[in-house]
Amino acid sequence: MRFYRATTFLFPRNYEWRILLICFGAVHVPLITYVSLQVITGEWQPTALIALLLATLLGTGFGITAIHALLSPIARATAMLEAIQNGERISHIPDGGSDLVGRLLHGVATAANESAARIEQLVTAAERDALTGIRNRRGFLDAAEKILQGNANAVLAFIDIDHFKLINDQFGHDAGDSLLRALAKRLEGGLRRTDVAARWGGEEFAVLFPDTQLDEARLVLERLRASIALDCELGQDSWPVTFSCGLAPLRSFAELGDATRRADAALYVAKARGRNRLQIAEEEQLEEE
């Protein structure tokens, strides 16, 4: 480190040029020595001097090219360090052998991938509901922002377990948690791969149906609602499990906030009308008018 610090005045912002300058000087030592000797002795040999000068120039060119190529892995390591800062994975780890540069490349690449894996785990943990394992509200909104890029038909649904507080009071919070996990599993299993389900909060779930007409989403949810209402294994001591649902259409992510309010309002209408049913936001608005 002493020599490194002592030479920092040579191209302080460019380590490669510092090495090249030092090597350039080292290559010219024989030529300088030979010229000095001829000056001292006064015996000039032009042919030998020209030959030595040409050899020095060729050696310098070769040395600069070779050193530049040998330093390229360090430039690669620098790029990988930037990837670590950005939390990116290294798709290809260069094989540098067992020398110093090879160990440097492998160490940096390993650190980058481990860092990216930890960041991915943190992002997943931040976007997943700890109890049910499906997306939480943040994960839902992030997914919705990516999905709703165009201007296509989509449907937002809010689902709420009927009488969930009574289930908690009657059978305990462990039973309530078990029900939430079971319903989340049924939601993901009963939806299409392109649909996005999330636990919105409490006993409320949200589902986004991209590229879907309102009637299609309603049919999927009606089928899911009926299958859950008839499933005796979801309940406790013959206690039936049902849910109410509010639906609202939308066409872009900019409309998600308004669709959220309309779907939530439709959900409350469904509950007020006896629960265990679906309510479309447009129907509820028309009746209010």
Side-chain angles (χ1 to χ4, degrees):
M1 291 296 294
R2 291 181 180 177
F3 185 75
Y4 170 80
R5 294 192 182 98
T7 57
T8 53
F9 69 95
L10 300 171
F11 301 105
R13 294 182 179 274
N14 196 315
Y15 182 66
E16 180 181 6
W17 279 105
R18 195 186 315 171
I19 293 177
L20 294 177
L21 179 61
I22 293 172
C23 292
F24 180 82
V27 168
H28 282 75
V29 169
L31 178 63
I32 295 173
T33 303
Y34 183 76
V35 171
S36 300
L37 180 63
Q38 289 196 338
V39 170
I40 294 173
T41 60
E43 297 179 359
W44 292 92
Q45 299 179 6
T47 303
L49 180 62
I50 293 173
L52 184 59
L53 178 61
L54 291 176
T56 301
L57 292 175
L58 289 175
T60 300
F62 173 78
I64 290 175
T65 303
I67 291 172
H68 178 76
L70 287 172
L71 289 175
S72 63
I74 298 180
R76 173 64 174 163
T78 303
M80 289 191 290
L81 286 173
E82 294 177 355
I84 292 177
Q85 296 175 346
N86 297 329
E88 300 173 1
R89 283 188 176 273
I90 305 300
S91 58
H92 174 65
I93 300 177
D95 184 10
S98 57
D99 58 8
L100 178 63
V101 173
R103 294 195 299 273
L104 173 64
L105 285 172
H106 183 75
V108 172
T110 301
N113 287 335
E114 290 178 353
S115 176
R118 285 194 294 269
I119 291 175
E120 289 173 3
Q121 291 174 356
L122 291 173
V123 171
T124 299
E127 294 188 347
R128 290 281 171 177
D129 177 57
L131 177 63
T132 62
I134 64 175
R135 286 181 175 87
N136 56 21
R137 185 181 300 195
R138 174 181 173 178
F140 179 86
L141 293 175
D142 288 346
E145 186 175 8
K146 295 175 182 177
I147 292 172
L148 300 174
Q149 293 293 334
N151 191 26
N153 291 317
V155 178
L156 174 66
F158 276 172
I159 296 172
D160 192 272
I161 301 175
D162 295 328
H163 303 296
F164 185 73
K165 185 178 184 303
L166 293 179
I167 295 175
N168 272 336
D169 294 342
Q170 182 77 15
F171 304 104
H173 289 280
D174 288 342
D177 291 346
S178 178
L179 176 58
L180 289 172
R181 286 191 292 266
L183 183 60
K185 185 176 180 180
R186 292 291 295 273
L187 270 178
E188 287 206 318
L191 299 176
R192 303 167 303 182
R193 289 181 177 273
T194 55
D195 302 331
V196 179
R199 185 184 178 196
W200 194 253
E203 70 273 21
E204 192 171 25
F205 295 83
V207 180
L208 178 65
F209 297 90
D211 298 320
T212 306
Q213 298 290 339
L214 194 58
D215 289 341
E216 295 178 80
R218 183 173 189 171
L219 181 62
V220 171
L221 289 170
E222 281 285 12
R223 186 165 54 243
L224 183 63
R225 181 195 61 79
S227 67
I228 288 177
L230 296 173
D231 191 345
C232 299
E233 295 182 358
L234 285 176
Q236 295 282 340
D237 296 333
S238 301
W239 184 289
V241 175
T242 61
F243 70 75
S244 302
C245 180
L247 294 88
L250 68 159
R251 293 185 62 83
S252 67
F253 184 74
E255 299 178 8
L256 184 61
D258 181 62
T260 298
R261 290 188 292 271
R262 290 187 290 116
D264 195 49
L267 172 62
Y268 278 100
V269 172
K271 284 184 166 294
R273 292 180 177 177
R275 296 181 172 84
N276 191 24
R277 59 174 294 158
L278 274 64
Q279 181 70 43
I280 296 177
E282 280 69 16
E283 294 179 357
E284 174 260 331
Q285 291 173 353
L286 286 174
E287 291 184 7
E288 286 185 349
E289 293 176 358

